[in-house]
Amino acid sequence: MQQFKTLFLKEFRGYFRSLLAYIVFFIYLFVSVGSAFYFGEYLDIHGSSLYSLFYLQPIILAVLIPAISMRLWAEEYRSGTAEFILTQPVRLIYLVLAKYTAVFMFFCLMSLFLLPFILYSAGWLVLDWQNICMDYAGLWLVTALFCALGGFISAFSRSMTLAYLLGVFFAAIFVALPYFYLYAIYNNFLFAEVGVPDVLYFVLLTGAFIVFNIEIVKFRQSVRHSRYWKLSLFIFLVLSGIALLEFALTNIFTGKADLTQAKFYTPKQETRQLLKNLKNPVSIDIFAAKDYVNGNVDYFHYVQQIQRLLKRYAFLSQGMVTVNMTYVEPYSALETDVLEKGLYFETNNKGSRDYFGAVIRDESGREEVIKQFLIQRRPFAEKDIDVALLKLTEPERVKTIGVYLDNTQNLDGFRSILLNLENDYNVFSVSSSMYDFSNKVDMVILINPKDISMALRYGLDQFVLRGGKLVIFFDFYTESQSELTNMEDLQIVDFLNHWRVALEPEMVDNGKTDEQFGRNLPVLRLNKAAVFKVKDNPAVTVKPFIVSEKGLLGAVLEGTFTSLYQDNPYRDTEIFSVMPPFLSVSKTGGQVAVVSDVDMLEDKFWVSDNSPDFNPYSIIEKSGNARAFRSLIDYMLGNEIYEKLPLNEALLNRSSISQQIWEHLYNEAGAAYIDLQNNVVEQRRMLYESSGGDASQLSRLWQISQAGQQLAQDEKRLQNIEYGMKTAYSSQVIKMMLGQIVLLPLFLVLLLAALLKWRYIYNNRKMEEKYHV
C-alpha cells in the first residue's frame, strides 16, 4: 500500500507542475457554466436540481478527460521511461491503479470547483441538496469510467495525439449511441432515482477497463505478441459478460430508490390506497408538445419527472394502470385532437403551441383531463393525478358543495377560487329562495352574505341541524367590493350571536393557520379581518382555524346546535307539506366554520401575476390563502384523498432567476410606475368614451385635446421608465454572465495556483529548516 501511495502522490502532483492542468480547469469551468446559461436556460429554470448545469457534463468530460488521460502511458512509452518503471520492484497493479486514481482525483477536484456557482445559484433558487449530491455521484461515476477508458486507450499507443483522438472517439460512442445506455443511466442520477443496476453499470465497466489496462501493459511487456487474439477474445468475453450481467440485474432489481429530498417519485399512502381500489383498467396518456420539451431543458426535466412518477403508479397498480408518453408534432392532426380535449396551451416564439398534460381514460371510454402540468405547481402533481383518477373511478366520493354569493358581490374577484372548487367537487350556485338542502348536499359556503332571504335563512338553519357542513366567510370591509357589500348590516349576525360568536372591534392584516389542520401552509394575506371570540358553550367544541395575536380570525364549531326558530315559519303555506320535518335541535353532530375575511379569497390576494391563466392547473400561488381555504373544506368534508395528500412546498421555485430580477426592478420603480400605468389606462378609456367609439374623432382628440397631449406625455414617461428597466435588466444579466462564466473560473484557477505555490514554498522552507540548507 505504501508503494501505491507514493506512486499516486507522484502522479497527482505532477499534473500541477505544468500549465495544462490550469488550462483544463479553466476550460472545464468556463464551458460548464457557459453551457448552463446558453444551452440549459439557466436564467429561466424553476427546478431545484440544477439539471441545466449537469446534463451536458458527459459531453464535456468526453472531450476533456482524454486530454489528461492520453499521457498516462503514451508519454511513458514515447519518452522511454516505461521500460524503466516496469522493471522496478513495483507491482503492476499498484502502478496502474496509482495512475488511474491520480487522474480520477484530478477530475473530481476539478468538478468540486463548480460548488461556488452552485452556492451562488442557491442564493436565487431553493435547491434540493440530496439531488445535488446525486448529480455529483453520477458525475463522478461517469468520470471514473472515462478515466479508466482513457488509461486503457493510452496504453495502446506511443502517440499522445492518437491516444487523445481515440479517447474522444470511444467516449463519444458511449455518450452518443443509445445502445450503451450511458446517458439514460446518468440521467437516473440527475433525477435522483437510482437502482442497483445503475451503480453496477459504472462500477463493472470501470473495473473492466482497469483490468484491460493491466493486460495491455503486460501484453506490451511480453516478447511474444502472438497472444494478441487471446487478449482480444478476453476483452470481448468480459464486455459480453458485463452486458449479460447488467441485463440480468436490471430484470432482478426493478425498483429504484427515490433520493429526492421531497420524495417526489414516492406515491403517498392515500395514492397507494386509491390504486389498490381500482377495479377496472385505466390508461394515462401523457401529451407534451415537441417544441415544449426541446425548447427548454427545465421543461424536459419536468416532463421526465412526471413520466417517472406515473411509472410508479403503473407499478403499484399491479397492471391496472398503463402509462403512455407521446411527444406531439406541431400542427399535426394529433395535436388538434389533444387540444380539443381541453389541454391548456401557450403560443411560443416560433408560433407553435406549448402544452403538457394528460388524459385519463377507463375501459368504457369515459375521460378525465389534467389540463396542464405546470412546472411552478410541482407540489400539486400527485394531487392533480389522484383527483382525476378519483373522479373517473370513484365518482361517488366526489362531494357536492353549494356556493352562495349575493347580488352585491363582484364575482370576477372570486373566479379562481370557484374554479379551484369546481375542479375537485360538484359545485352548484345556491338560490336565495332555496329552503331545503336535504337532497345530497354535503356543504354550503356563504361568501360575505349581506342579503339573505327568509327562505334561505330557514334552509341553512335546518341544514346545520341535520348534520350539514356550513362555511361562512363574512367581512365588514372588502377592498374591491361596493359600499353596499361593506355595510355593517351583516344579516348573518343573528346566526353568529346564536352560536355565541362575539365580534371584537380590532381588525388585523395578518394571521396563520392553526397546526391541527395538518399542513405547514405559506404565509396568509389578509385585509382588515375582524377578530372574534367564541363564548363558552358546553354543547359545541371550538377548533381554531386562523389565529392572530389578538384572537380568532377563523374557527370550526362542532357539536350540537339549536334552531333560530321556534317552529317552521312556513307551516301555514302550500309548500309546508313537501318540506322535511322541523328540527329544534341537531339530529346529528353539525359543523359550522366562520372566517372573518373575504378578501383572502379574491384572486389578487393569492394568485401570482406570473400565472399563465386562472384555471386550477395554471395558477401559481403567491400566498397560502387558497391552500388554507381548501384545507378547511377538505377537513370538514372528511375528504382524506384531498386533505392528506402532502403538498411539499420546501423545494418550490415559483419564480425563475430572470423573473426575480424583473420583480426587483418593478419593485424599485415602485408605486409611481404602477400609478402611471393606471393613469395611462384610465386616460385612454376616457378618450375613447369622449370619441363615442369613432376612430377619426379619437385620433383628433388624441392630437389636439389637452387630455390627449397629457396622455402622450404620460405614455412617453412610461416608455422611458420601461426602457430604463430593460436596460437595467440587460446590464444585470451581462454582469452575472461575465462574473460566473469568466471571472469566477479565472479567480478559482488563480486561487488554486496561488495555494499550490504557497504550499511549494512552505515545504521548501520546512526542508531548509530541517536540513539547515
Side-chain angles (χ1 to χ4, degrees):
M1 187 56 68
Q2 184 60 38
Q3 288 182 338
F4 169 78
K5 181 180 178 182
T6 304
L7 291 168
F8 164 73
L9 290 176
K10 172 184 172 294
E11 292 286 338
F12 185 70
R13 290 169 180 168
Y15 291 123
F16 298 98
R17 295 192 182 115
S18 69
L19 194 60
L20 179 63
Y22 303 101
I23 294 174
V24 170
F25 262 57
F26 178 79
I27 291 174
Y28 173 75
L29 296 173
F30 178 84
V31 174
S32 295
V33 178
S35 63
F37 274 93
Y38 287 99
F39 301 110
E41 305 285 345
Y42 173 74
L43 293 175
D44 295 323
I45 62 174
H46 294 85
S48 55
S49 65
L50 285 185
Y51 184 77
S52 62
L53 175 64
F54 287 96
Y55 86 108
L56 285 176
Q57 288 297 309
I59 298 173
I60 298 170
L61 293 176
V63 176
L64 286 182
I65 287 179
I68 299 296
S69 66
M70 67 181 182
R71 305 173 58 193
L72 290 179
W73 292 100
E75 188 176 33
E76 302 282 7
Y77 286 121
R78 184 178 60 83
S79 62
T81 56
E83 290 79 2
F84 174 75
I85 62 174
L86 291 173
T87 55
Q88 297 301 305
V90 178
R91 294 184 62 184
L92 179 58
I93 188 173
Y94 286 162
L95 183 58
V96 172
L97 286 176
K99 284 180 173 290
Y100 166 76
T101 307
V103 71
F104 173 65
M105 293 303 295
F106 173 83
F107 281 101
C108 286
L109 176 64
M110 183 178 71
S111 67
L112 287 175
F113 275 63
L114 290 174
L115 282 175
F117 178 70
I118 294 173
L119 293 173
Y120 172 80
S121 302
W124 292 96
L125 304 167
V126 180
L127 298 183
D128 184 339
W129 289 103
Q130 285 184 205
N131 203 323
I132 298 294
C133 290
M134 295 311 300
D135 292 341
Y136 262 109
L139 175 60
W140 287 339
L141 286 171
V142 172
T143 302
L145 173 57
F146 284 175
C147 287
L149 177 64
F152 165 63
I153 291 172
S154 178
F156 267 110
S157 174
R158 300 167 62 90
S159 169
M160 288 193 293
T161 303
L162 182 61
Y164 174 75
L165 293 175
L166 287 174
V168 172
F169 175 74
F170 284 105
I173 286 177
F174 267 99
V175 171
L177 294 183
Y179 309 106
F180 290 99
Y181 300 106
L182 184 138
Y183 233 116
I185 295 173
Y186 174 67
N187 266 333
N188 289 339
F189 287 89
L190 299 192
F191 286 96
E193 191 189 26
V194 181
V196 173
D198 300 328
V199 178
L200 290 179
Y201 172 88
F202 289 107
V203 171
L204 292 173
L205 281 176
T206 301
F209 283 116
I210 291 173
V211 171
F212 297 160
N213 193 343
I214 295 171
E215 293 301 318
I216 285 291
V217 175
K218 286 181 180 179
F219 175 77
R220 296 197 64 168
Q221 272 186 292
S222 173
V223 294
R224 296 172 57 195
H225 293 299
S226 59
R227 293 189 307 155
Y228 180 77
W229 68 271
K230 293 182 180 179
L231 178 62
S232 302
L233 180 62
F234 171 73
I235 293 173
F236 173 77
L237 290 175
V238 170
L239 292 178
S240 299
I242 290 174
L244 291 173
L245 180 60
E246 183 69 17
F247 176 78
L249 290 172
T250 303
N251 287 279
I252 295 171
F253 298 99
T254 55
K256 293 184 183 294
D258 181 0
L259 299 172
T260 57
Q261 191 171 324
K263 299 300 177 189
F264 183 83
Y265 310 114
T266 305
K268 310 307 181 289
Q269 184 57 42
E270 290 71 30
T271 301
R272 293 169 183 265
Q273 188 61 46
L274 177 61
L275 295 172
K276 185 179 179 181
N277 293 341
L278 290 177
K279 297 179 175 60
N280 297 305
V282 171
S283 67
I284 302 179
D285 298 318
I286 314 168
F287 297 101
K290 262 194 174 180
D291 286 350
Y292 175 87
V293 177
N294 297 333
N296 189 299
V297 172
D298 204 32
Y299 294 159
F300 168 79
H301 182 259
Y302 187 46
V303 170
Q304 293 297 313
Q305 280 191 312
I306 295 296
Q307 190 174 355
R308 288 166 183 263
L309 173 62
L310 287 171
K311 283 182 179 178
R312 295 285 185 107
Y313 274 65
F315 176 77
L316 292 171
S317 70
Q318 298 181 343
M320 296 299 286
V321 173
T322 56
V323 178
N324 305 303
M325 180 75 217
T326 304
Y327 296 103
V328 185
E329 294 283 352
Y331 311 113
S332 63
L334 177 59
E335 180 177 79
T336 303
D337 294 340
V338 167
L339 296 181
E340 284 179 354
K341 294 181 183 295
L343 266 66
Y344 176 78
F345 68 89
E346 289 182 305
T347 304
N348 58 34
N349 296 331
K350 298 178 182 178
S352 59
R353 295 164 173 174
D354 289 341
Y355 47 89
F356 173 36
V359 177
I360 304 178
R361 185 183 296 105
D362 64 10
E363 283 184 317
S364 65
R366 292 189 306 118
E367 296 179 345
E368 284 293 333
V369 179
I370 300 175
K371 296 181 180 179
Q372 185 177 32
F373 288 114
L374 190 67
I375 195 169
Q376 294 94 324
R377 296 184 75 252
R378 195 187 311 255
F380 293 90
E382 184 176 347
K383 175 181 176 293
D384 288 341
I385 297 165
D386 285 356
V387 169
L389 273 173
L390 185 72
K391 292 169 77 173
L392 184 67
T393 60
E394 300 181 56
E396 68 279 0
R397 288 181 62 183
V398 181
K399 305 297 177 68
T400 300
I401 297 176
V403 178
Y404 176 76
L405 295 100
D406 62 42
N407 295 328
T408 63
Q409 301 291 330
N410 174 14
L411 300 183
D412 290 341
F414 301 103
R415 56 179 170 169
S416 296
I417 208 76
L418 294 176
L419 285 171
N420 187 295
L421 272 182
E422 290 172 2
N423 190 59
D424 298 343
Y425 295 100
N426 298 319
V427 179
F428 71 96
S429 179
V430 172
S431 166
S432 60
S433 61
M434 200 165 179
Y435 58 82
D436 181 12
F437 293 92
S438 59
N439 188 20
K440 295 184 179 180
V441 178
D442 299 291
M443 173 180 282
V444 175
I445 301 174
L446 307 180
I447 299 179
N448 213 19
K450 300 287 185 176
D451 184 18
I452 299 180
S453 67
M454 185 178 73
L456 182 56
R457 184 188 301 270
Y458 176 75
L460 294 173
D461 176 84
Q462 294 295 296
F463 176 67
V464 172
L465 299 186
R466 285 185 167 79
K469 322 289 186 181
L470 178 63
V471 181
I472 302 174
F473 286 85
F474 66 91
D475 207 333
F476 294 114
Y477 180 87
T478 56
E479 187 167 291
S480 63
Q481 303 294 316
S482 66
E483 290 300 319
L484 181 60
T485 312
N486 290 326
M487 66 184 180
E488 293 191 9
D489 183 20
L490 185 67
Q491 295 187 15
I492 204 72
V493 164
D494 51 356
F495 276 112
L496 299 180
N497 291 336
H498 192 69
W499 298 327
R500 301 189 182 186
V501 175
L503 300 175
E504 301 289 330
E506 291 90 356
M507 290 188 177
V508 299
D509 291 333
N510 54 67
K512 62 179 182 179
T513 53
D514 190 81
E515 293 179 357
Q516 67 181 310
F517 280 85
R519 293 193 187 129
N520 182 21
L521 296 172
V523 63
L524 301 181
R525 292 190 60 183
L526 308 176
N527 181 51
K528 293 183 172 60
V531 178
F532 64 85
K533 295 179 181 177
V534 182
K535 298 177 182 178
D536 291 339
N537 183 352
V540 174
T541 302
V542 179
K543 292 186 176 180
F545 170 51
I546 302 177
V547 296
S548 70
E549 294 179 356
K550 295 185 178 181
L552 294 173
L553 305 176
V556 179
L557 315 181
E558 299 177 342
T560 303
F561 296 89
T562 57
S563 176
L564 281 171
Y565 300 89
Q566 299 297 322
D567 196 3
N568 188 335
Y570 294 94
R571 179 171 292 277
D572 298 328
T573 65
E574 295 179 357
I575 63 172
F576 176 76
S577 60
V578 296
M579 296 179 73
F582 171 75
L583 296 179
S584 59
V585 67
S586 292
K587 186 177 181 180
T588 59
Q591 278 185 318
V592 173
V594 289
V595 181
S596 61
D597 187 36
V598 173
D599 286 315
M600 69 173 290
L601 302 182
E602 291 204 52
D603 295 351
K604 66 178 181 178
F605 281 85
W606 66 279
V607 178
S608 170
D609 294 335
N610 295 331
S611 298
D613 194 23
F614 289 94
N615 78 69
Y617 297 107
S618 303
I619 288 176
I620 304 169
E621 299 178 14
K622 65 181 179 183
S623 73
N625 292 10
R627 207 86 56 80
F629 169 73
R630 284 301 307 270
S631 180
L632 174 65
I633 303 304
D634 296 342
Y635 165 78
M636 292 184 66
L637 289 174
N639 210 344
E640 294 184 353
I641 196 68
Y642 298 162
E643 180 191 356
K644 291 186 178 180
L645 275 177
L647 304 174
N648 193 303
E649 195 74 30
L651 302 175
L652 176 62
N653 293 302
R654 288 191 176 87
S655 299
S656 65
I657 297 174
S658 177
Q659 289 169 337
Q660 290 181 56
I661 294 173
W662 275 115
E663 287 168 6
H664 175 70
L665 293 173
Y666 280 121
N667 291 335
E668 281 188 340
Y673 172 71
I674 297 173
D675 290 342
L676 186 59
Q677 272 188 319
N678 293 336
N679 286 339
V680 168
V681 172
E682 181 63 19
Q683 289 175 52
R684 286 173 178 168
R685 184 188 64 79
M686 292 175 65
L687 275 178
Y688 181 79
E689 289 179 354
S690 300
S691 69
D694 183 83
S696 59
Q697 179 68 12
L698 178 62
S699 178
R700 283 194 295 271
L701 287 174
W702 206 298
Q703 295 174 7
I704 63 174
S705 70
Q706 185 175 357
Q709 293 174 1
Q710 181 63 45
L711 175 59
Q713 292 175 6
D714 288 346
E715 285 181 332
K716 184 67 175 177
R717 287 171 55 204
L718 188 64
Q719 288 174 0
N720 290 337
I721 294 174
E722 290 175 345
Y723 177 77
M725 286 193 293
K726 289 178 181 178
T727 304
Y729 172 81
S730 300
S731 175
Q732 189 164 341
V733 169
I734 289 171
K735 288 178 182 177
M736 180 191 296
M737 294 175 68
L738 181 65
Q740 297 302 314
I741 297 175
V742 179
L743 298 182
L744 179 62
L746 187 60
F747 169 76
L748 291 173
V749 170
L750 292 176
L751 179 63
L752 176 64
L755 288 173
L756 291 175
K757 183 66 176 178
W758 172 83
R759 189 177 183 280
Y760 174 76
I761 295 171
Y762 175 78
N763 288 340
N764 281 349
R765 286 180 179 175
K766 295 290 285 184
M767 292 289 288
E768 290 173 0
E769 291 174 3
K770 183 175 181 179
Y771 295 105
H772 307 288
V773 177

